[in-house]
Amino acid sequence: MNFDIDDVSPDFRREVAAFLDEHVTPDLVERCRQTGTNHDWDLHWALGARGWLAGGWPTEYGGRGDEGSFEFLILSDELEQRGIPSDGLGMTMLVANTIMRAGSEEIKRAVLPRALSGEILMCLGYTESHGGSDVAAAKTAAVRDGDNWVINGHKMFTTLAHESEYVFLLTRTNTEEPKHRGLTMFLVPMHAPGVEVQPIWTIGNVRTNATYYTDVVVPDSARVGEIDDGWGVMGIALMFERTGGGADARLFGEAVQAARSVTTNDGRTLLDDDSVRERLSRLAIEREISTLLRLRSQWVQAQGSRSMIEGSMFKLFSAESQVRAASDLLDIFGPLGLIEAGEPAAPGSGEFTHEFRHSIVLPIYGGSSEVQRRIIAERRLGLPRP
Ligand SMILES: Cc1cc2nc3c(=O)[nH]c(=O)nc-3n(C[C@H](O)[C@H](O)[C@H](O)COP(=O)(O)OP(=O)(O)OC[C@H]3O[C@@H](n4cnc5c(N)ncnc54)[C@H](O)[C@@H]3O)c2cc1C
């Protein structure tokens, strides 16, 4: 199956690849690893300066009109395949796309040009500690006060809050209605008085945050969508969710290279071992399947479909295959695989132990595997709700 969008896309893909070869240095990757923040401002600004975030967006909101509408898809694809830290880009574009469809004219003009030029990031404030996957149980309250709203509550796992200009915040505005019908979305400035960010460090070295909101005052113009229709707005945002993973090409390349360079007691290399070859082959096959599921999901989205099934299929398969891959890689290299980055003897630049710890989170965030299975079971297979 050929997913190229048109005749110009292969040229653009080559241009992106050359750009990334030049800009994504080992130092950049190391910096992200040290800070636990899957975002690099230099890279983000450089992408914005190229205009690659603004292709296909209306000119009145900082876009390039009809020009370059396919570019972001190809850019995302290249970033994904190379495992380049780009969480900030993914989340910001998700929020920007939602604002484009549900935001007021005022908010579109104020925020979109800054997002599309690469100047600012936006993060997601859905999850609360008591609710977890059940985001509709949100208790963070927004209470109307004249032309303003006063927000009180807290959110868990607000990834990239410490780098963001705004948080896309899910709040409760109505306690009389059933839980899905009393929610409203706001775009809250992170520097507003009363917003507090505290780091949370995960086992995979990724930094996320707890965020606290105490008497935070925002104008009604900060609202995205209708009052009490936050669930509908979240539905739009879900279509642009870009979590997945799947062992990327870089990791696979490093695994093959490392397996070739490690010699066993009988003088052969690890790559000569049939069980190693079999596992690496499975990794390559699952990587290909992940890529195809991702491309299909993007293609369905590009057709204007609101289907979420393809995204769920990609998320479920890629997250779980990456857990399998990370586990296999650690197994293949044994104790050597545990050596951390920075040590000369570390195979694959210490990537395998890092990947093993990082992969744990993949079936959890962005909708857990069980939640994805439910979506697929109910909406694609037509099974009854449990
Ligand atoms: C590193 C990290 C970054 C994150 N970043 C963000 C972010 O930026 N913004 C944000 O808003 N959130 C973020 N999250 C939150 C993430 O999306 C939630 O953690 C996730 O939705 C699961 O919630 P929970 O961890 O409380 O688990 P729970 O929801 O308590 O789930 C516990 C277990 O029950 C299962 N389960 C839950 N509900 C169902 C169901 N209906 N059917 C079947 N099984 C179910 C789950 O699969 C899981 O196995 C992040 C989480 C992590 C760990």
Side-chain angles (χ1 to χ4, degrees), residues 130-203:
H130 67 94
S133 304
D134 187 11
V135 280
K139 287 184 179 158
T140 294
V143 177
R144 190 85 195 229
D145 180 18
D147 289 339
N148 295 330
W149 293 84
V150 182
I151 298 175
N152 278 289
H154 86 271
K155 296 282 171 182
M156 198 61 167
F157 305 125
T158 324
T159 308
L160 279 162
H162 58 296
E163 297 286 357
S164 295
E165 187 81 4
Y166 294 100
V167 54
F168 190 47
L169 196 71
L170 178 70
T171 68
R172 177 147 313 278
T173 40
N174 192 330
T175 50
E176 307 293 312
E177 294 285 338
K179 63 180 179 181
H180 291 86
R181 292 205 219 120
L183 301 163
T184 304
M185 297 300 307
F186 289 92
L187 197 66
V188 177
M190 290 305 300
H191 55 260
V195 178
E196 193 195 331
V197 178
Q198 284 182 8
I200 299 175
W201 290 96
T202 68
I203 192 173

Side-chain angles (χ1 to χ4, degrees), residues 251-270:
L251 185 68
F252 178 70
E254 291 198 352
V256 172
Q257 210 179 343
R260 195 173 275 135
S261 66
V262 174
T263 317
T264 53
N265 288 342
D266 58 6
R268 302 190 318 153
T269 71
L270 275 180

Side-chain angles (χ1 to χ4, degrees), residues 10 56 95 98 100 110 129 138 154 163 170 214 217 230 235 273 329 345 361 378:
V95 179
T98 311
M100 184 62 209
S129 47
H154 86 271
E163 297 286 357
L170 178 70
T214 310
V217 178
D273 182 324
L329 288 176
V361 78
E378 286 173 23

